[in-house]
Amino acid sequence: MREKIHIYHTNDVHSHFEKWPRIRKFLKERKSLHEANGEDVFIFDCGDFVDRRHSFTEGTLGKGNVELLNDSEYTAVTIGNNEGLTLPHDALNQLYNDAKFDVLAANLYLSGGTRPSWALPYQIYRTSKGTKIGVTAATAYYRPLYKLLGWELSEPLSELESQIAELQKQVDIIIVLSHLGMHDDEVVAENNPRVDLILGGHTHHVFMNGKKVNYTTLGAAGRYGEYIGYIEAEVDTGPFLWKNYTATLFDTAVLDNPPNAAEYIKDLDEIGRDLLQTEVVTLPEPLNYSWLEQSELPVILCEALYKWCKADCALVNSGLVLSALEKGKVTKYDLHRMLPHPINPCVVELSGTELEEVLLKAEESGLSELEFQGLGFRGVMMGKFVYHEIEYNKESGSIKIAGEPLDRERIYELATLDMFTFGVFLPPIKNARRKIYYLPEFVRDLMEWELKSRYA
């Protein structure tokens, strides 16, 4: 019997709710339309829907995001690294308590090796005409970081192969929800021709009309809700199985905006603001910031990082700080607005020669004015680099660490930001022989700790 099945997918929304009213309206209307025609509809999200950059997500620790997915009648989701690594263990373990959709994460385990009760390795859905659709999912392989939070990850490609082998005995269609990135999605398609669809994310790539790899159709919808992915599946299950998939993307910028969209978006921020009104400290004077000049708040943050990590010295970029603190009451909302980044402190071990290379690179003309987003950074530009227990004289080229001349043979512990271990900005940090990550604390937690010690 031939039937038409409609599949919608999102990925890497990152709590960019400015597009959500359009997405919500579109999905609800399309679902109603297809169901009125007697056709089945499935809606999936491929991870990083939760991002603590937004006050609503921060205030609800992601549970508000789950309510939004419930409201839009998602069928199933998988987790991305933002769900997995920016929430404390208990917060992730309870995140989906009220979910009305399935959560699929085949390669996520508790530290003892058992699966969390809320994370299914796969789920099988049956259409109204009897077609069986098997859906599995996997998330990016940041195993050492997950381990610090009390989770264990299996290698995603081999895990998916096991789940696909299990599903192909039972279903007519196999779908993978992937938060692995474009390259790994192509590898999965190359090695598993029985997979019909891979709906992907993580690397924020865009396939306007899908991409064919062997027998598999890949779909990807960019980032921040800029697109909604759509797959029209035509299936005939007998006497011979016949399938055809047509992929496209809908640009959310041209979709109808509901009349209450601005109010809806404002309400989400106000909910977060209200939940984050806990007072942290009372300041006797304002604290300012600058991205291109030495200023108070980046210096305080750098010193907090140094103390927290108990390192030899510290380095941060002033672009982290996005707002000043006024005299008087400072709340968790103020700190979140100032430092919204899901960025963790870390320590790297560098030789004196490598540390010198880092400082030379940090002081390079142009790097401080680099505009970028990603790797946890939710600001605008890199900003001037700020140091603690590092004295660097540009004119003479002399460097002192904790008041002593740099020893090129010595191994130093540098406190810095985890984003520099993932990005290419400062290669010696990315390639450091040893890296120690501190989770689940974010840089704003360190700022709160330092302000309390100074102004309690």
Side-chain angles (χ1 to χ4, degrees):
M1 180 179 294
R2 180 167 292 196
E3 65 176 314
K4 190 177 288 186
I5 303 165
H6 305 275
I7 298 164
Y8 294 88
H9 59 99
T10 54
N11 61 272
D12 297 282
V13 172
H14 284 280
S15 295
H16 275 259
F17 300 131
E18 59 271 18
K19 299 286 179 58
W20 190 250
R22 297 172 189 259
I23 295 171
R24 174 181 179 271
K25 180 176 186 289
F26 177 81
L27 291 176
K28 283 180 172 289
E29 289 177 349
R30 298 285 289 200
K31 189 171 191 288
S32 296
L33 175 66
H34 297 317
E35 290 179 343
N37 291 332
E39 296 167 344
D40 290 276
V41 182
F42 299 90
I43 307 174
F44 300 113
D45 184 78
C46 301
D48 277 3
F49 186 74
V50 168
D51 191 318
R52 291 175 63 182
R53 60 170 287 280
H54 197 286
S55 60
F56 178 70
T57 303
E58 178 76 357
T60 64
L61 274 181
K63 285 181 174 285
N65 295 60
V66 171
E67 292 176 11
L68 299 184
L69 292 168
N70 282 341
D71 179 52
S72 295
E73 300 181 70
Y74 273 67
T75 308
V77 308
T78 193
I79 69 166
N81 45 288
N82 271 264
E83 287 88 1
L85 294 176
T86 70
L87 292 170
H89 179 96
D90 288 347
L92 176 57
N93 214 23
Q94 298 169 24
L95 177 63
Y96 298 105
N97 284 354
D98 299 320
K100 297 176 183 177
F101 47 83
D102 293 320
V103 182
L104 309 177
N107 64 324
L108 181 71
Y109 294 83
L110 297 167
S111 56
T114 58
R115 295 185 187 278
S117 59
W118 49 268
L120 304 173
Y122 65 81
Q123 184 62 283
I124 296 174
Y125 303 97
R126 187 184 291 266
T127 70
S128 54
K129 292 183 170 58
T131 300
K132 289 177 285 186
I133 302 172
V135 186
T136 186
T139 197
Y141 194 46
Y142 295 116
R143 185 170 179 252
L145 300 179
Y146 274 90
K147 204 172 185 68
L148 291 173
L149 290 169
W151 301 103
E152 186 58 68
L153 284 188
S154 61
E155 197 286 315
L157 300 186
S158 57
E159 182 72 67
L160 283 175
E161 287 193 1
S162 298
Q163 303 306 326
I164 291 162
E166 184 65 30
L167 283 172
Q168 66 184 14
K169 307 170 193 172
Q170 307 178 58
V171 302
D172 304 304
I173 295 172
I174 295 176
I175 300 174
V176 173
L177 307 183
S178 165
H179 198 80
L180 303 179
M182 181 172 64
H183 172 73
D184 280 358
D185 289 353
E186 291 173 352
V187 172
V188 173
E190 294 271 4
N191 295 337
N192 299 274
R194 181 63 179 81
V195 172
D196 295 276
L197 298 173
I198 299 175
L199 309 179
H202 185 49
T203 45
H204 299 181
H205 52 292
V206 175
F207 293 145
M208 289 304 300
N209 298 109
K211 180 177 181 177
K212 273 285 189 183
V213 177
N214 286 343
Y215 301 100
T216 304
T217 299
L218 277 59
R223 62 177 188 171
Y224 305 161
E226 293 168 343
Y227 298 99
I228 302 168
Y230 171 57
I231 310 286
E232 182 182 272
E234 297 177 280
V235 183
D236 194 328
T237 54
F240 303 103
L241 183 60
W242 175 86
K243 297 175 281 188
N244 183 63
Y245 303 99
T246 304
T248 191
L249 295 179
F250 290 95
D251 184 345
T252 55
V254 300
L255 297 179
D256 288 341
N257 210 15
N260 66 337
E263 183 180 349
Y264 181 95
I265 294 165
K266 183 181 177 183
D267 285 348
L268 294 182
D269 186 62
E270 289 184 351
I271 290 169
R273 182 195 294 260
D274 290 345
L275 290 169
L276 295 171
Q277 283 306 304
T278 303
E279 183 173 352
V280 172
V281 73
T282 299
L283 294 180
E285 57 197 5
L287 295 173
N288 295 313
Y289 77 103
S290 169
W291 294 338
L292 297 178
E293 304 291 338
Q294 190 86 346
S295 57
E296 296 163 302
L297 284 168
V299 168
I300 292 172
L301 179 60
C302 193
E303 185 173 348
L305 185 68
Y306 165 80
K307 292 177 182 176
W308 183 273
C309 296
K310 299 181 173 65
D312 296 314
C313 50
L315 170 154
V316 300
N317 59 303
S318 60
L320 286 170
V321 179
L322 303 185
S323 62
L325 293 178
E326 301 300 324
K327 177 181 177 180
K329 176 182 173 182
V330 174
T331 67
K332 284 185 176 289
Y333 179 82
D334 296 323
L335 293 184
H336 180 268
R337 184 178 56 175
M338 179 175 71
L339 294 164
H341 327 276
I343 289 177
N344 304 102
C346 75
V347 170
V348 294
E349 288 188 354
L350 302 174
S351 69
T353 299
E354 291 166 334
L355 182 52
E356 182 178 30
E357 184 183 342
V358 166
L359 298 176
L360 291 172
K361 182 72 174 173
E363 296 295 330
E364 261 187 24
S365 175
L367 184 57
S368 64
E369 297 179 16
L370 176 70
E371 296 184 8
F372 79 102
Q373 286 246 326
L375 304 172
F377 185 70
R378 305 297 185 245
V380 177
M381 63 187 293
M382 183 72 74
K384 176 183 174 63
F385 282 86
V386 176
Y387 313 118
H388 190 78
E389 294 290 6
I390 296 174
E391 299 173 52
Y392 177 56
N393 188 311
K394 275 188 181 182
E395 292 182 5
S396 66
S398 67
I399 299 170
K400 289 185 178 180
I401 307 298
E404 298 293 328
L406 178 79
D407 181 349
R408 289 183 173 83
E409 302 302 318
R410 179 182 161 184
I411 300 300
Y412 292 94
E413 290 189 341
L414 172 69
T416 188
L417 312 171
D418 65 351
M419 74 172 184
F420 291 129
T421 71
F422 305 131
V424 297
F425 309 110
L426 302 170
I429 294 179
K430 178 178 173 62
N431 302 321
R433 58 179 58 76
R434 185 168 181 240
K435 303 166 187 172
I436 304 166
Y437 295 97
Y438 293 81
L439 279 75
E441 296 84 11
F442 290 152
V443 288
R444 60 179 168 271
D445 298 313
L446 273 62
M447 178 64 88
E448 177 178 340
W449 173 74
E450 178 65 19
L451 291 176
K452 283 180 175 177
S453 73
R454 291 183 180 217
Y455 300 105

